[in-house]
Amino acid sequence: MSALRLPLPASLRELFKAPPTPGVLAVFSHLDTMLDAIKELRAAGHADFTVYSPIPRHEIEGALGQPVSPVRMFTLIGGIAGCAVGAWLTLWMSYDWPVVVGGKPVGSVPPYVVIMFEMTILFGALSTILGIVFNALFAARRSGSIPYDPRFSNDRFGIFVPTGSDKAGGGAAKIESLLRASGADEVRRG
Amino acid sequence: MAEHAPATRVTYDYVTRTIARTLGGPTRGYFLLLGAAIALLAVGIVTLLFLLRYGLGLAGYSHPVYWAVYITCFVFWVGIAHSGTLISAILFLFRSGWRTAVYRTAEAMTVFAVMTAGLFPLIHIGRQWYFYWLIPYPNERGLWPNFKSPLIWDEFAIGTYFTVSTVFLIMGLIPDIAAVRDLATGWRKKLYAITSLGWTGANEQWRHYTRGYLYLAALATPLVLSVHSVVSWDFAMAIVPGWHATLFAPYFVAGAIYSGVGMVITLLVPIRRLFALDEIITVHHFENLAKLCLLTGSIVSFSYMTENFVAWFSGNPAERAAFWYRAFGPYWWASWTMNICNGLLPWLLWSKKVRTNITALFVISIFVNIGMWFERYVIIVVSLAGEPYTTWANAVYNPTWADWGIMAGSFGWFFMWFLLFVKNFPAVSISEVKEVLAPPRRGQVRATAGGAGGPR
């Protein structure tokens, strides 16, 4: 993680820190050169690299060819659950403690639609958040921590390509030259 | 998203640094403002303590006016909240590029306005310690709330609105807090490191974030329309002439957005000036806000005409009497303030010269909110006071110091939270403003000098 240092003695802090993943980090100033680099990396067979950007861009998503995010499933299930909970809550409670008013139905759906609607939105929104957090955490399930440059949140783009331990040395050099050829401003190992 | 490029010196770096510079280093003026807000809040708290001790009799209630300034303030603050969500969620779905520079302030305004509004149902019930009776909790008497009541709908609607707005604001803040985290030092760096939740801008994070944000915006859109409709039904579900109208839901929603846009302008003009954000929040943004104001103000004007016409056309003597009383009864001054500020004032915005004059917009926005406060006052208090069958009861309602004290406290509460927000978290969205700028490309050589192109 970039800047959060736990206020613990150094030895304990080491326990909590994830081991660093070896690889190559490239910094780009321009979007199009980074997109070229992504194409080159994919052509060379690399699939498990991370792209950093200060803003989301459709071009990056397109170049990476990622499937649609599963967050929408969370939203849908949350919304349906909210509607069901709203309906159940209002109808069950109305029959459990009936307010009998001159011939009017005890459990009356039109006013309950309002509550069902609000619960749909509430549960849908909360499960969307859960979906984002869960998916983002799941995607970050790497065995180690990957390097980050603070300029990535400002105006630089970045690519980090992990190198497996068996391809150490030779593999990393090839990746470095590929990234430099694509137009990276800086390339470093780490 | 529509990209309209401002001056070419506005690069990604410029945006990040200009907005990050607004945080930290609070000046004496800031502390004076914050102190004033806290002082107003203190007035409100003292008034509340008196109300707790001596009861609602301290307020000006008199038969049949039992909903008065507190409910007026409640609807006023909830209304203000709505335009924030309109700008941030609804305009997001419309892919409007200009919203990016203003929506963070508007969203923060929404969250704090809902927090302010939520105080009023608690204050106005009098026996605040029984507020939990509204919540469906299992109890030994087997009681449940009456779900057919608009007051219970209110509870669900406003509770949902508060939760969803807060969550939406926090989601949007995460990439921006990461951006200021990377530039901050000291205790702020720790604060931002924790609140940015480890955001690095990696493609996996953006991928899920952007989809989730889209769905949150899609959920927030019907929420905006429904919440103020539910609030309007607090009145429309009753049979009081002047309240019992099917027009209320769209009428109130349009009025809410009208007053909210007014408050956004009121907040943005000083923020732009004091934080020197002229290149990011431009006259173009204010003009678009003014156009929103004009649109919703026109709907409100039309609603006034509809209400009055239908009251006459219906032939219902109680309805006709209620509207005659509004215009020519003892509260004629409130009605005419409302009609002039909401019915006539927005027509000034047809002129481009007025729409592009920041000072004029600031003054108009203040009158918009005065007018909208009076609209709620007229609808609530004057309809109740004019109930024809109680003319023998000689109802004359006058707000007391307890009414005004709580209202002052609500302004103090709102401005305190808002001031704390703008100095500690980015009041303009860093990542979204960058999204409407042209990205740096080496491929095209840009004709104008500037940082966003050419070899570095």
Side-chain angles (χ1 to χ4, degrees):
Chain A
M1 203 170 300
S2 50
L4 180 59
R5 285 165 54 84
L6 295 165
L8 295 167
S11 50
L12 271 180
R13 207 185 299 140
E14 287 304 314
L15 261 181
F16 285 110
K17 216 163 72 164
T21 306
V24 180
L25 179 70
V27 180
F28 297 81
S29 306
H30 302 98
L31 178 63
D32 44 357
T33 45
M34 190 191 68
L35 292 171
D36 290 339
I38 294 176
K39 286 199 196 64
E40 297 292 318
L41 280 170
R42 290 191 74 197
H46 296 277
D48 192 26
F49 54 94
T50 304
V51 176
Y52 293 103
S53 57
I55 54 168
R57 296 287 312 186
H58 293 300
E59 296 98 323
I60 301 176
E61 280 187 50
L64 288 169
Q66 294 173 301
V68 179
S69 163
V71 170
R72 54 196 187 159
M73 275 297 126
F74 285 75
T75 312
L76 179 66
I77 293 173
I80 293 175
C83 194
V85 166
W88 173 80
L89 187 89
T90 48
L91 287 166
W92 184 83
M93 288 180 179
S94 303
Y95 282 102
D96 188 62
W97 171 245
V99 178
V100 181
V101 183
K104 295 189 179 157
V106 166
S108 156
V109 172
Y112 299 167
V113 167
V114 177
I115 295 183
M116 286 160 59
F117 175 80
E118 303 295 346
M119 300 285 266
T120 307
I121 307 276
L122 179 67
F123 280 51
L126 292 176
S127 44
T128 305
I129 299 292
L130 261 173
I132 297 175
V133 168
F134 174 73
N135 278 291
L137 278 177
F138 187 68
R141 68 198 180 283
R142 302 172 178 284
S143 52
S145 72
I146 55 178
Y148 173 77
D149 188 313
R151 291 172 296 168
F152 291 153
S153 63
N154 185 2
D155 60 352
R156 295 286 194 274
F157 301 87
I159 301 182
F160 173 76
V161 188
T163 54
S165 50
D166 54 333
K167 289 197 281 182
K174 235 171 78 171
I175 295 169
E176 270 187 38
S177 61
L178 189 155
L179 289 167
R180 271 189 227 281
S182 300
D185 287 2
E186 300 162 30
V187 179
R188 57 176 182 264
R189 256 183 248 198
Chain B
M1 205 174 279
E3 291 183 4
H4 68 93
T8 46
R9 76 186 193 94
V10 181
T11 59
Y12 285 8
D13 187 57
Y14 176 85
V15 170
T16 315
R17 288 186 191 281
T18 311
I19 298 172
R21 209 178 356 101
T22 68
L23 307 174
T27 61
R28 207 160 49 126
Y30 172 78
F31 282 116
L32 273 171
L33 276 174
L34 187 60
I38 294 178
L40 276 178
L41 176 61
V43 167
I45 292 177
V46 168
T47 313
L48 181 63
L49 291 173
F50 271 89
L51 279 175
L52 275 169
R53 171 63 184 86
Y54 293 107
L56 284 181
L58 286 181
Y61 295 123
S62 68
H63 177 72
V65 181
Y66 283 112
W67 275 5
V69 170
Y70 296 151
I71 299 297
T72 304
C73 289
F74 165 65
V75 182
F76 175 73
W77 284 112
V78 172
I80 285 181
H82 281 70
S83 84
T85 315
L86 177 120
I87 292 172
S88 76
I90 298 179
L91 289 182
F92 177 79
L93 295 178
F94 283 141
R95 301 183 189 232
S96 72
W98 66 270
R99 109 188 211 289
T100 55
V102 305
Y103 89 91
R104 175 61 44 71
T105 304
E107 240 175 53
M109 176 193 81
T110 290
V111 172
F112 302 134
V114 178
M115 277 165 62
T116 313
L119 297 174
F120 282 97
L122 296 179
I123 293 170
H124 101 105
I125 56 178
R127 295 182 300 174
Q128 286 91 359
W129 50 96
Y130 287 142
F131 80 92
Y132 64 92
W133 285 354
L134 289 168
I135 303 167
Y137 74 98
N139 54 77
E140 80 277 8
R141 293 185 59 194
L143 300 173
W144 301 115
N146 174 17
F147 293 107
K148 299 185 185 85
S149 161
L151 306 181
I152 301 293
W153 305 343
D154 238 1
E155 173 199 333
F156 280 81
I158 293 183
T160 303
Y161 192 45
F162 175 61
T163 311
V164 173
S165 306
T166 309
V167 142
F168 198 41
L169 175 69
I170 290 173
M171 278 305 300
L173 271 171
I174 291 175
D176 291 354
I177 296 179
V180 291
R181 167 198 69 199
D182 292 335
L183 292 175
T185 53
W187 65 269
R188 283 178 186 273
K189 196 175 186 76
K190 279 205 182 60
L191 169 71
Y192 298 141
I194 295 172
T195 47
S196 61
L197 306 180
W199 180 265
T200 54
N203 57 294
E204 279 294 321
Q205 291 180 337
W206 278 123
R207 185 175 148 233
H208 300 302
Y209 173 90
T210 48
R211 295 309 287 196
Y213 194 84
L214 175 66
Y215 298 132
L216 277 176
L219 285 171
T221 299
L223 185 63
V224 169
L225 302 172
S226 70
V227 171
H228 219 63
S229 301
V230 168
V231 171
S232 78
W233 293 333
D234 282 341
F235 312 110
M237 294 291 153
I239 54 172
V240 175
W243 279 14
H244 193 54
T246 51
L247 179 68
F248 264 40
Y251 169 26
F252 267 53
V253 174
I257 295 168
Y258 178 60
S259 72
V261 173
M263 186 58 101
V264 169
I265 295 176
T266 308
L267 292 171
L268 271 178
V269 168
I271 283 179
R272 176 181 189 246
R273 165 78 72 83
L274 296 170
F275 284 161
L277 293 172
D278 297 52
E279 305 237 27
I280 296 178
I281 309 174
T282 63
V283 176
H284 176 69
H285 293 97
F286 282 104
E287 193 185 349
N288 284 328
L289 284 170
K291 286 180 187 171
L292 257 182
C293 216
L294 174 61
L295 170 69
T296 48
S298 306
I299 298 176
V300 170
S301 313
F302 180 66
S303 301
Y304 291 165
M305 290 188 264
T306 307
E307 261 195 317
N308 283 287
F309 171 73
V310 169
W312 170 79
F313 189 66
S314 70
N316 180 337
E319 196 80 20
R320 285 181 173 183
F323 281 86
W324 183 265
Y325 183 86
R326 255 192 214 189
F328 303 113
Y331 297 97
W332 62 271
W333 49 272
S335 295
W336 290 103
T337 307
M338 162 186 119
N339 279 308
I340 292 170
C341 290
N342 302 335
L344 291 182
L345 199 66
W347 295 79
L348 285 175
L349 297 170
W350 281 111
S351 149
K352 191 175 172 93
K353 268 180 70 178
V354 174
R355 284 200 306 269
T356 49
N357 181 331
I358 307 284
T359 318
L361 284 180
F362 184 72
V363 171
I364 290 177
S365 70
I366 306 262
F367 279 102
V368 162
N369 274 311
I370 293 176
M372 286 309 294
W373 191 91
F374 274 102
E375 178 194 292
R376 277 61 172 260
Y377 185 84
V378 165
I379 291 174
I380 298 171
V381 172
V382 181
S383 301
L384 285 175
E387 284 180 346
Y389 54 82
T390 58
T391 45
W392 56 269
N394 206 24
V396 173
Y397 168 78
N398 283 306
T400 62
W401 66 271
D403 295 297
W404 300 129
I406 297 287
M407 182 166 147
S410 74
F411 275 88
W413 168 263
F414 173 78
F415 280 104
M416 177 190 77
W417 286 114
F418 191 77
L419 285 167
L420 287 172
F421 178 84
V422 295
K423 257 304 176 184
N424 290 297
F425 292 99
V428 178
S429 174
I430 299 175
S431 55
E432 292 231 11
V433 169
K434 289 178 189 168
E435 281 188 47
V436 295
L437 299 174
R441 292 179 202 273
R442 181 176 288 165
Q444 45 197 96
V445 175
R446 301 177 71 80
T448 44
R456 287 179 188 251

